[in-house]
Amino acid sequence: MINVGEELQSDRGTTLAELKAAVLAFVEERDWERFHSPKNLSMALAAEAAELMEHFLWDTPEASVERATREGVADELADIVIYAIEFANMAGIDLSAAIDAKMKKNAVKYPVEKARGNALKYTEL
C-alpha cells in the first residue's frame, strides 16, 4: 500500500489500486470528502481538462506533439486523473471494470474493419 508521503513508482510498477488508495489518503488527511460530490468533482474534471487544453491553444498539430512532453502538461493531466480517481472512490466505481466494459462497448461501436485509419464518429461509419 502506498502512503501519501511515499513516492509512487512508474506506470509499470504502480497499480490502479495503489493510486486509488493514495488519492483517498490525500483527501481524507485534508477532510475534503464533504466537498467531493459528483457535481463538484465533475466540474473540477472539466476545469482541469480546460487547463490542459489551454496549453495547446493555437498550436499546430505538430507543435502540440512537442508541447505534450512539458511538465505543465503532465501536471494538468495528473490533475485530471486524480479527480477521476477521486470520483471513482467517492462513487464506488471499480475503474478497471468500468474501463473494461467501456472498451467492449467501443469495440462494438468501432469495429476494426470500419474504424481503422479514420476518425469518423461511430454513427458515421
Side-chain angles (χ1 to χ4, degrees):
M1 178 79 72
I2 299 289
N3 294 320
V4 173
E6 278 184 53
E7 186 174 321
L8 294 171
Q9 299 174 17
S10 69
D11 286 351
R12 190 176 297 234
T14 304
T15 69
L16 183 53
E18 289 171 327
L19 290 173
K20 288 181 80 173
V23 170
L24 181 62
F26 186 89
V27 169
E28 286 177 343
E29 284 181 352
R30 287 155 181 80
D31 192 24
W32 286 349
E33 302 96 307
R34 60 184 142 161
F35 307 116
H36 289 183
S37 66
K39 177 193 84 66
N40 288 348
L41 288 170
S42 66
M43 293 173 77
L45 273 163
E48 293 300 337
E51 289 179 19
L52 176 63
M53 290 186 295
E54 191 174 24
H55 284 272
F56 302 103
L57 189 62
W58 311 119
D59 271 357
T60 63
E62 297 78 19
S64 72
V65 171
E66 180 183 324
R67 188 179 304 275
T69 62
R70 295 190 180 161
E71 181 179 357
V73 171
D75 286 347
E76 297 306 341
L77 184 58
D79 284 340
I80 292 165
V81 173
I82 290 165
Y83 276 123
I85 288 172
E86 175 54 12
F87 193 107
N89 282 342
M90 179 278 314
I93 295 171
D94 181 319
L95 276 173
S96 294
I99 291 169
D100 183 59
K102 183 59 176 165
M103 293 295 291
K104 287 175 181 169
K105 290 176 188 175
N106 287 347
V108 171
K109 286 182 183 179
Y110 295 97
V112 173
E113 60 276 1
K114 290 183 179 179
R116 184 172 177 83
N118 74 62
L120 293 175
K121 187 171 178 166
Y122 71 93
T123 56
E124 298 176 16
L125 290 175

